[in-house]
Amino acid sequence: MSERWDGEQIRLLCGPIADALANIEDCVIIISRDRLVEYMNTAAELVFSPEPGDVRSVSFIEMVRDYECDSLLRRCIETGQRQSAVVKLRQGNRLLQVTIVPGRWQQHYIAVMKDLTERQRLADIHRDLISNISHEFRTPLASIKLLAETLIDGAVRDPQRAPDFLQKISIEVDKLTYMADELKELADIEKGGSVLSKSKTDIGQIVRNAVSRLEEQARAGGLQLEVSVEEGLPAPVVDGNRIERVLMNLIHNAIKFTSPEGRITIKAALQGTEILVSVQDTGHGIAQEDLPRIFERFYKADRSRGGEGSGLGLSISKHIITAHGGRIWVDSEVGKGSTFYFTLPLA
């Protein structure tokens, strides 16, 4: 922390008070009655990055470069009363809770600024999540209700139509179950309860299990599933249930975003000291500008992926593979499909 004052003022800020101001996360700025900055703590220096030199020659508005903050200071000086507001700074796009109070005898004024940017970002994320999940649940529920009503109205007695309707209901229930599983997985990750239960595991069997659970959805979408597992693959020590979850996430994405008569190919092979697993589709593909963010939580590449899904599956998959010491990535081109890869180390 840089001491800005002389004489009695430095003495008053020395010791525990100075240490406290230097180490708190909130920005603290002390301003003179003529609106010149006389002191900034470390947090304020990081946010506003003043030019080197004596800040007493810099006005408050020159330092913060925000007229709303300056208006709060002016009102505090004029009224002698505490002023507070939430301000969005143009520089750095930060959201701050700004409070300015008069000091003793109103000779100086103290501005305290709490950074709300991350809190607002998390609030936006959770609001979007609730909106997305509500939308995603509504669609299969509406389908189930319509199919059930049709069966009640007489289709259940039709030996040709009834099995088809029941199969469609089963597919919609699978979708709901899948989304519920994603939410549970996310909750476990966020509370730190996502503990891996590792053992030697047959990757070929995991691939076959995942394909078996989703082949009805693929068939209903007019898609062809192909599996290629190298013979004699060594058994890595992994959490089989979690790796199956990753495969299901990737296959499920491929099913959603591949047009009828398309093909999805799942491969597993030995590559050096790792097992390489891939899921390739002939679907819509992902735009190049979306690729760097495709594994971010809640991120959805709407233009290339149609805006479907909760935006959780790929981020959960990345967490699981990273926890195993592996890597996960994607190669894609719009109109030519995508290939998702992940590795599992043998050591």
Side-chain angles (χ1 to χ4, degrees):
M1 177 186 70
S2 301
E3 297 296 344
R4 311 294 189 187
W5 292 358
D6 298 317
E8 181 69 10
Q9 293 166 328
I10 291 180
R11 187 186 69 78
L12 290 173
L13 275 176
C14 283
I17 295 177
D19 291 340
L21 289 177
N23 291 291
I24 63 174
E25 295 181 356
D26 296 343
C27 300
V28 178
I29 303 176
I30 298 178
I31 310 119
S32 68
R33 188 171 180 82
D34 53 2
R35 306 204 312 280
L36 296 179
V37 174
E38 294 195 338
Y39 169 85
M40 299 177 73
N41 72 342
T42 305
E45 290 178 350
L46 291 173
V47 170
F48 298 106
S49 302
E51 294 293 329
D54 190 347
V55 298
R56 286 177 297 179
S57 63
V58 180
S59 68
F60 179 67
I61 191 169
E62 288 176 315
M63 185 66 67
V64 300
R65 287 171 283 177
D66 185 89
Y67 284 100
E68 193 171 353
C69 289
D70 190 58
S71 295
L72 290 175
L73 174 60
R74 288 173 180 272
R75 287 201 297 271
C76 185
I77 293 173
E78 292 171 359
T79 65
Q81 297 179 348
R82 174 182 183 272
Q83 303 293 323
S84 183
V86 175
V87 176
K88 188 167 186 178
L89 298 183
R90 290 185 179 179
Q91 58 174 9
N93 202 29
R94 291 175 180 268
L95 189 70
L96 300 178
Q97 173 70 54
V98 180
T99 301
I100 302 180
V101 297
R104 184 177 294 181
W105 304 301
Q106 297 186 28
Q107 295 302 307
H108 297 89
Y109 298 85
I110 303 169
V112 180
M113 304 178 179
K114 181 181 291 293
D115 196 335
L116 305 178
T117 309
E118 181 65 12
R119 184 186 302 178
Q120 184 62 47
R121 187 184 74 85
L122 292 175
D124 291 342
I125 284 173
H126 282 85
R127 184 185 64 248
D128 291 343
L129 171 64
I130 292 171
S131 175
N132 290 340
I133 292 298
S134 174
H135 173 75
E136 294 299 323
F137 270 72
R138 188 180 297 115
T139 301
L141 285 172
S143 296
I144 291 171
K145 181 175 176 59
L146 179 61
L147 291 165
E149 288 176 346
T150 304
L151 287 169
I152 291 171
D153 289 342
V156 71
R157 293 183 293 275
D158 187 330
Q160 294 184 342
R161 296 172 62 199
D164 180 55
F165 278 40
L166 291 171
Q167 182 184 29
K168 289 178 179 178
I169 288 175
S170 178
I171 290 172
E172 297 299 331
V173 170
D174 285 344
K175 290 180 183 178
L176 291 171
T177 302
Y178 191 87
M179 285 188 284
D181 288 345
E182 279 192 330
L183 289 173
K184 182 181 184 303
E185 187 76 30
L186 176 65
D188 288 342
I189 290 171
E190 289 191 332
K191 71 181 181 182
S194 183
V195 180
L196 299 178
S197 178
K198 293 184 177 181
S199 62
K200 281 193 172 184
T201 306
D202 182 349
I203 292 299
Q205 188 59 50
I206 288 179
V207 171
R208 288 186 286 273
N209 289 346
V211 169
S212 175
R213 294 180 65 178
L214 292 172
E215 60 185 355
E216 283 297 325
Q217 286 190 34
R219 188 179 297 113
L223 305 176
Q224 180 181 354
L225 283 181
E226 297 180 357
V227 177
S228 175
V229 177
E230 184 178 309
E231 291 187 9
L233 278 180
V237 179
V238 297
D239 185 327
N241 290 331
R242 296 297 173 83
I243 299 304
E244 185 175 326
R245 162 60 57 186
V246 172
L247 266 170
M248 290 185 64
N249 283 342
L250 299 183
I251 299 170
H252 190 253
N253 266 4
I255 291 172
K256 285 194 297 182
F257 304 114
T258 302
S259 300
E261 299 184 3
R263 184 176 66 259
I264 300 169
T265 305
I266 304 96
K267 296 181 180 180
L270 183 64
Q271 187 178 75
T273 60
E274 300 175 315
I275 290 178
L276 176 66
V277 181
S278 64
V279 177
Q280 181 181 30
D281 65 56
T282 58
H284 305 160
I286 304 169
Q288 291 299 307
E289 60 266 27
D290 291 317
L291 288 176
R293 301 189 60 192
I294 200 68
F295 291 101
E296 288 183 17
R297 188 175 300 175
F298 308 111
Y299 185 77
K300 296 195 294 181
D302 291 339
R303 287 169 296 173
S304 60
R305 286 302 201 180
E308 298 185 32
S310 63
L312 300 177
L314 291 179
S315 61
I316 290 172
S317 298
K318 183 176 182 179
H319 170 84
I320 292 172
I321 296 303
T322 302
H324 280 83
R327 297 167 291 122
I328 185 168
W329 70 98
V330 59
D331 290 332
S332 186
E333 185 176 346
V334 173
K336 294 187 177 181
S338 306
T339 304
F340 283 83
Y341 302 88
F342 67 86
T343 62
L344 296 171
L346 293 174

